[in-house]
Amino acid sequence: MTVKRLIKTAAVFFAVLIFSSSVFAAEVSSKASESKAANAHKGANPRVSFVQDLQKKLNAGNLEEAILAFDSLDENLKEDEGLLVIKASLLISASKIEEANLVLDYLEQKNPLNIDVLEMKIIAAKAGGEETKAQKASAISKVIALDPNNPTANIELAQENVLQRKYKTARTYYQKALVKAPKDLNALFGYGQTSYYLNDIEEAKKAFNKMLEINPNDAIAYQYLGKLEAEDDRYKYAVEFVQKAIAIEKDNYDFYMDLGTYSRFLGKFDDAEKAWTKAISINPDYFLAYAYRAGLYDEQNKLDKALKDYRKVVETNPKYYFAYEALGILAWHEGNWDEAREAFEKAYSYNAENISYPLMIAACWSKAGKYQNGKLFLEKVMKKMTDKTSLNFQMIRLFHDMGPGNAETDIALKIQKEDKTNVRGKMLYYFALYYELKNKDQLALKYYGEVKNMQSPMFFEYRLAEWSLER
């Protein structure tokens, strides 16, 4: 969390504490009712002055100065529970969790029933991460015992369940929070989001519309209303909602990702490209927009652009294994044999059961003029294969031995007998590729043509066969 975000968090809690709790509101009210003359006679209330000074420091972004101000607190205010709770909140915002806990432990000893203190202990424990998980659970239990519908405790329990994808349980906790705080935006969002995940579309809509009644500039409410429209394939309205979200938050990565998706479904490819390009400009180090734009370019046959984007996908997220196959295919199309091989090697490392990958790796070695490297690689592959009579094994063996003729005949018969369309299509492609590598072009074209005639592009080799026939 950035310093600005921390200060904002402190300021928000600070404002809530001041204007909605008995710690300060009653005092402000009574002071407001006094005449100007009486105020002048009595002088400024030191507590009011101190709080106002804190507010100024926070508004200016001076979190550290606000914390240091407590060192010069009036002697009569040093035991003020409300001010000490504010101090703890500021310490949490400054990531000074141990110092905050010292203040909160002291306050809990003084008054074990102070809900403000216990709620702040939940926040402090959450900031501590896994190491303070037990302390957070303890604080939540104490709060729930005193106030079963407490928003802070129930929202935290809900969020824990969301992380575990227990959306039904999470929604129950959000409902409890809304009993006590029907206008709490966090609870409303959580209730709407879990309703969306549970496919309870009407309840989700009610929650997000309620958020907009409370805050007409709540961008995430517009975003989710867009998602709900998209669930019903109403992409025109989905675009309108997400555009409203973007008008409020112009640099939100997720909003542009959604806009691109909806535009693509509407067939507005240029708009989709612009949206994902904008997302990339917002966060060039995140992979997802590159992946989406690469798929769009690929669909439009802008293969050079798609290849560049897939390179960025694996650069920004090397663990995104879905991209390696696509990268390998497009690098193969460009004749970048080493790049294609490395991509297929990565794909093979994630899915060793896919027979396509070792065959493509071996073919890349051959295309690069390094047949022996491919042969050594296939030897390792064959050692791991248990069924020596399978078509997969025989095709691997054929690429390893590059023959002989009787092996070719056996494989041709087996392929024709294969009743699974995708398997037959794959094997026909590799049979064609085998003949291409042996410079038997007429036989290669014959089998590439058989793949093309299947008109069943459910396997990536179909595209490779098309490209081979176009050369």
Side-chain angles (χ1 to χ4, degrees), residues 35 44-45 52 92 96 137 164 210 261 301 340 348 377 393 399:
S35 65
N45 185 305
Q52 289 174 340
I92 293 169
K96 298 180 179 182
Q164 298 174 53
K210 181 70 173 177
T261 299
N301 209 36
Y348 182 55
F377 166 73
F393 181 86
F399 269 65

Side-chain angles (χ1 to χ4, degrees), residues 34-171:
E34 294 179 6
S35 65
K36 291 182 180 179
N39 277 330
H41 176 71
K42 293 182 178 179
N45 185 305
R47 189 170 190 278
V48 174
S49 298
F50 179 77
V51 171
Q52 289 174 340
D53 183 58
L54 279 185
Q55 187 71 70
K56 287 179 183 177
K57 287 179 168 58
L58 288 174
N59 289 341
N62 297 325
L63 178 59
E64 287 296 330
E65 285 186 24
I67 293 171
L68 289 172
F70 282 88
D71 293 341
S72 57
L73 191 60
D74 187 287
E75 285 295 326
N76 295 323
L77 297 176
K78 287 191 174 179
E79 292 296 310
D80 187 298
E81 289 187 18
L83 294 179
L84 289 176
V85 170
I86 292 175
K87 180 181 181 181
S89 76
L90 297 177
L91 288 167
I92 293 169
S93 296
S95 298
K96 298 180 179 182
I97 308 303
E98 290 185 8
E99 292 179 48
N101 279 326
L102 288 174
V103 175
L104 293 170
D105 288 343
Y106 170 72
L107 287 171
E108 187 181 7
Q109 287 174 3
K110 283 185 64 177
N111 183 3
L113 303 181
N114 188 326
I115 287 284
D116 288 337
V117 172
L118 295 173
E119 286 181 339
M120 194 57 58
K121 293 196 85 169
I122 294 173
I123 297 168
K126 183 176 182 178
E130 283 296 314
E131 293 181 5
T132 53
K133 192 174 181 179
Q135 291 93 313
K136 184 178 76 170
S138 174
I140 289 173
S141 296
K142 290 175 182 177
V143 171
I144 294 293
L146 293 170
D147 181 8
N149 294 322
N150 180 272
T152 300
N154 278 290
I155 289 171
E156 186 57 36
L157 288 170
Q159 290 173 346
E160 287 178 357
N161 279 273
V162 167
L163 291 175
Q164 298 174 53
R165 299 187 179 182
K166 296 178 181 178
Y167 301 127
K168 192 172 182 180
T169 303
R171 187 166 77 159

